[in-house]
Amino acid sequence: MAADDEEYSGFNDTRQKRVKVIAWVTIVALILVGGGATVFALLFG
């Protein structure tokens, strides 16, 4: 098992980086969409 961990450690680092990027993009998208919905609600509500 230890040899497997060493083999896949590079993949794990790449995966962690990808997960962080996807999380931040999702958070920013939710803020932008939520903010946009709030603006439209204030303007047209």
Side-chain angles (χ1 to χ4, degrees), residues 22-42:
I22 290 171
W24 277 111
V25 167
T26 303
I27 290 167
V28 169
L30 287 171
I31 290 170
L32 290 176
V33 170
T38 303
V39 170
F40 281 130
L42 288 172

Side-chain angles (χ1 to χ4, degrees), residues 1-13:
M1 283 279 179
D4 289 341
D5 291 343
E6 290 171 10
E7 268 185 54
Y8 294 116
S9 65
F11 291 113
N12 193 29
D13 294 341

